Amino acid sequence: MSSEGSFSRVGVVGLGTMGAGIAEVLARGGLAVVGVEVNREALERGRGHLERSTGRAVKRGRLTADAQREILDRVALTTDFADLGDCDLVIEAVPERLDLKRKVFAELDKVCREDAVLATNTSSLSVTDIAVTTGRPSKIVGVHFFNPAPVMKLVEVIATVLTEPDAVARVAALVRGLGKTPVTIGDRAGFVANRLLFGYLNQAAGMLESGHATRDDIDTAMTAGAGLPMGPFTLMDLIGLDTCLEVLEAIYAESRDRRHAASPVLRELVTAGLLGRKTGRGFYSYEKAGSDASGSGAAAAEEPPVVGIVGVGPLADALAALCDRAGASVRDSAADLAGCDLVIEAAEDTEAARALLSAAAQAAKPDAVLAVTSVGGSVIEQAMATGRPADVVGVHLPDPAGTLAEIAATVATGPGVADRAAGLLGRLGLTAVRCRDRAGFIVDALRFPYLNDAAAMLGAGYADADSIDAAMTLGCGYPTGPIADLDRLGLDRAVTVLRALHAETREPALAPVPLLVEHVTAGSPLR
Ligand code: CAA
């Protein structure tokens, strides 16, 4: 028999958010599904999940009412494990407790056919730990779906050292048949996607914890500045903060990298029972419809400011183009700076920036805001060199062609100056977010460590470039994968930002990995 279509009746144990989503995906794929829950009440909740999710598709005109009925009819709901007796595959999706999962697998071992493949949807436990307590370790695989399961296209298929290759191939073929993309990986904590995602999510929580930036500014920065579908706090609330904590603890237990040690704010929210969307409150409150995310937003349309741009190079050109689009008049000679509301330094190196800033500081009017783009070094170093540090903020455009501006106020920035800078940049059509004067502002400080982790994975042969990129694009909705991002953003830029982050924090994992440095020296892209 070919692997394709080799499963026709599939069981799903546990019909919470993930289990119900998986059951829906299987039933939509035309398979007969047996959904099992512990009691009638849980079973009815599972039925509710299935009806709501497919009902939403009907409402949006993506599914006819008849098709919805057919999908729901394909799912037989039961509280009796014995009903799984004729399934060729059973997927377990119960809460992430090893004792509970082992109990479920012991039961499955008893009731399922000897040749049935048993799969776990665990995101944080070791599949091997589950497999060794069964009488059929060669038939145990991991199938890791992403939330929301009906939407996300990635499924990680986990093979332990005990799994027989045929079971893995059959599960991967099933996943493909369901219109999703399987990525096969060994049994390592976090597999591919979570291993990369959670270091970043935890770092975002740490940024909030340390007062580097606000929840809304961090979320806005990552959506508007890095093109992600959701900011880290919105995403953690979607995943569930209890799940986030479990995943981080599992990854930390294996990596012993303190960046995976869960941020106290996460633990505090979990202890308080504030688990995200599913409980109505996490980082955000969902009591009213939707999230209460407000974001910083662009300022309302006002007269465009008069902008001085000092320096030459690609950033100066991009800023001039931006001002042009906003209808702002631009001055670029020292003699004209006196009339400017905002003077932006856009030099290509730190020395040139210092000289230009000193001259600009003398020429600019007393209430002008001086913006340092801080190529190398910190904003405060540049601000001190101007002789009027109270008027200076750092400004960073993570994507000079994009719409996000990050503003860093230093300890010397005067009261109200960062607000004025945000207002002026808003009048140029930019969305402004604030942070403290730390390397990488928000976007680069979060994205380059994640990209470094991806390069480390590639360098170690943990996964190949296609799998790594697929994990993040198909599993987490990123517009592009990290290996492609590194080549697009520039490996030399990655190494420069990582060195600055490492110099500031002395965090060993922030030093650029050898593969990146090697490619920069060779002048070759990763792919
Ligand atoms: N169930 C079913 N369908 C859903 C859904 C849900 N919970 N949420 C959204 N959808 C569907 C909608 O019906 C819509 O489909 P149609 O266009 O066919 O109508 C589509 O998804 C887009 O939804 P929206 O327009 O409402 O919202 P959006 O454009 O903002 O997209 C999103 C929502 C798909 C969730 C997107 O924001 C996204 O990709 N976010 C990132 C999610 C992510 O990273 N997931 C992985 C988390 S990690 C994990 O799960 C692993 C783990 O082990 C913890």
Side-chain angles (χ1 to χ4, degrees):
M1 193 186 349
S2 83
S3 327
E4 187 89 44
S6 70
F7 299 114
S8 53
R9 193 174 177 78
V10 182
V12 178
V13 181
L15 298 171
T17 316
M18 288 312 290
I22 295 168
E24 180 185 333
V25 171
L26 294 165
R28 275 176 179 254
L31 291 153
V33 180
V34 181
V36 182
E37 258 299 356
V38 273
N39 54 42
R40 299 290 336 162
E41 209 188 338
L43 202 63
E44 286 317 310
R45 263 202 309 275
R47 190 192 307 277
H49 279 307
L50 279 165
E51 284 172 356
R52 264 193 311 281
S53 179
T54 49
R56 178 183 167 139
V58 173
K59 247 190 237 146
R60 298 205 180 197
R62 302 267 174 193
L63 201 66
T64 64
D66 284 349
Q68 179 193 22
R69 185 54 31 226
E70 275 173 32
I71 291 169
L72 294 177
D73 284 350
R74 257 180 237 131
V75 186
L77 295 172
T78 174
T79 53
D80 189 355
F81 269 74
D83 292 339
L84 296 167
D86 9 312
C87 290
D88 355 80
L89 169 70
V90 178
I91 303 173
E92 162 280 313
V94 304
E96 293 281 84
R97 285 187 4 236
L98 187 59
D99 58 333
L100 186 62
K101 301 233 182 215
R102 282 181 165 170
K103 228 170 102 195
V104 167
F105 274 82
E107 200 60 39
L108 294 177
D109 229 1
K110 266 194 252 154
V111 301
C112 293
R113 286 200 328 247
E114 242 173 57
D115 62 342
V117 173
L118 306 182
T120 173
N121 179 55
T122 187
S123 50
S124 58
L125 299 170
S126 149
V127 180
T128 316
D129 263 346
I130 296 167
V132 290
T133 56
T134 70
R136 59 177 93 191
S138 64
K139 300 254 185 267
I140 310 294
V141 294
V143 271
H144 185 222
F145 284 78
F146 289 74
N147 189 357
V151 186
M152 307 318 286
K153 291 283 177 226
L154 180 79
V155 178
E156 289 173 319
V157 178
I158 295 97
T160 76
V161 287
L162 301 165
T163 316
E164 64 187 24
D166 186 53
V168 180
R170 290 173 67 204
V171 169
L174 170 75
V175 167
R176 234 174 269 118
L178 294 170
K180 306 225 180 243
T181 301
V183 162
T184 302
I185 166 97
D187 190 17
R188 298 283 176 277
F191 314 131
V192 180
N194 283 351
R195 189 80 172 216
L196 293 176
L197 181 68
F198 277 80
Y200 147 72
L201 293 177
N202 199 39
Q203 196 196 337
M207 272 187 172
L208 179 69
E209 180 92 39
S210 68
H212 177 66
T214 65
R215 171 199 71 178
D216 289 350
D217 277 356
I218 296 171
D219 267 2
T220 302
M222 297 315 286
T223 49
L228 303 189
M230 289 178 159
F233 298 105
T234 309
L235 181 55
M236 284 189 271
D237 276 357
L238 172 76
I239 294 169
L241 304 190
D242 50 344
T243 305
C244 290
L245 190 58
E246 281 155 2
V247 173
L248 277 167
E249 285 181 341
I251 298 177
Y252 178 75
E254 194 172 284
S255 72
R256 295 289 164 196
D257 178 341
R258 64 177 176 226
R259 293 177 310 142
H260 297 134
S263 174
V265 63
L266 191 58
R267 202 175 289 281
E268 187 183 2
L269 289 168
V270 172
T271 308
L274 305 175
L275 307 182
R277 284 193 194 192
K278 61 186 167 190
T279 60
R281 194 173 143 198
F283 285 104
Y284 291 95
S285 176
Y286 300 87
E287 261 108 52
K288 289 173 253 111
S291 134
D292 66 1
S294 50
S296 300
E302 273 180 74
E303 276 284 281
V306 181
V307 181
I309 299 173
V310 294
V312 285
L315 181 59
D317 294 345
L319 286 166
L322 181 82
C323 291
D324 203 39
R325 282 198 299 276
S329 54
V330 174
R331 313 269 192 270
D332 53 13
S333 84
D336 292 338
L337 295 182
C340 294
D341 307 300
L342 172 68
V343 178
I344 309 179
E345 160 276 308
E348 283 196 290
D349 66 74
T350 316
E351 278 317 305
R354 195 159 295 181
L356 286 167
L357 270 166
S358 301
Q362 290 186 12
K365 60 181 179 176
D367 65 346
V369 173
L370 305 178
V372 172
T373 62
S374 192
V375 277
S378 60
V379 178
I380 188 65
E381 273 171 37
Q382 301 284 41
M384 294 312 286
T386 63
R388 45 187 284 194
D391 300 322
V392 177
V393 292
V395 168
H396 181 236
L397 308 182
D399 171 6
T403 57
L404 184 82
E406 301 172 296
I407 299 174
T410 75
V411 287
T413 305
V417 173
D419 286 342
R420 278 194 358 253
L424 291 164
L425 292 167
R427 283 155 61 190
L428 293 177
L430 294 170
T431 297
V433 293
R434 322 279 186 82
C435 61
R436 293 165 73 183
D437 177 21
R438 299 289 181 271
F441 290 62
I442 300 173
V443 173
D444 281 0
L446 286 175
R447 73 177 160 192
F448 283 105
Y450 145 77
L451 296 175
N452 202 34
D453 288 345
M457 252 186 192
L458 186 65
Y462 182 105
D464 62 26
D466 287 345
S467 302
I468 294 171
D469 279 357
M472 300 316 291
T473 53
L474 304 176
C476 305
Y478 280 38
T480 44
I483 304 303
D485 282 343
L486 278 163
D487 283 336
R488 178 175 55 84
L489 294 168
L491 303 185
D492 48 349
R493 176 168 168 206
V495 167
T496 304
V497 175
L498 286 162
R499 284 195 174 134
L501 290 167
H502 180 249
E504 186 174 275
T505 60
R506 294 293 166 202
E507 178 62 61
L510 296 184
V513 297
L515 185 73
L516 284 180
V517 179
E518 197 181 347
H519 275 274
V520 170
T521 311
S524 60
L526 286 173
R527 276 186 195 268

